[in-house]
Amino acid sequence: IQAGPIVFTITNDGTEPHDFWFANDLVGSFFLDENLLPGETATLSVNLPPGTYTAFCSLGDGAHAAAGEQATVEVVAE
């Protein structure tokens, strides 16, 4: 992903609630204010500096992420 302003569009295609976090140890976390129920869509607008981030679902005290609901994303300078 290119550094700078980005809009994530997140859709819950599952059968249970999910959330969305985008985090970096140096920058902090960006996240949706509310959980997404099945079938719901939300957007998250952020201004990202370069770095390595983790996108994940934090529900179930990390159980969703441990089950594979996570990805590493590299944000690079323009």
Side-chain angles (χ1 to χ4, degrees), residues 22-74:
F22 201 75
N24 172 292
D25 289 340
L26 298 175
V27 176
S29 299
F30 306 97
F31 53 90
L32 292 176
D33 291 332
E34 307 237 349
N35 293 344
L36 291 176
L37 298 176
E40 290 185 328
T41 297
T43 58
L44 178 65
S45 298
V46 296
N47 191 2
L48 297 175
T52 301
Y53 294 78
T54 302
F56 62 97
C57 176
S58 71
L59 295 185
D61 290 328
H64 285 212
E69 294 177 26
Q70 65 178 340
T72 300
V73 179
E74 190 69 28

Side-chain angles (χ1 to χ4, degrees), residues 11-16 18 37-39:
T11 300
N12 181 352
D13 287 332
T15 58
E16 58 187 78
H18 293 283
L37 298 176

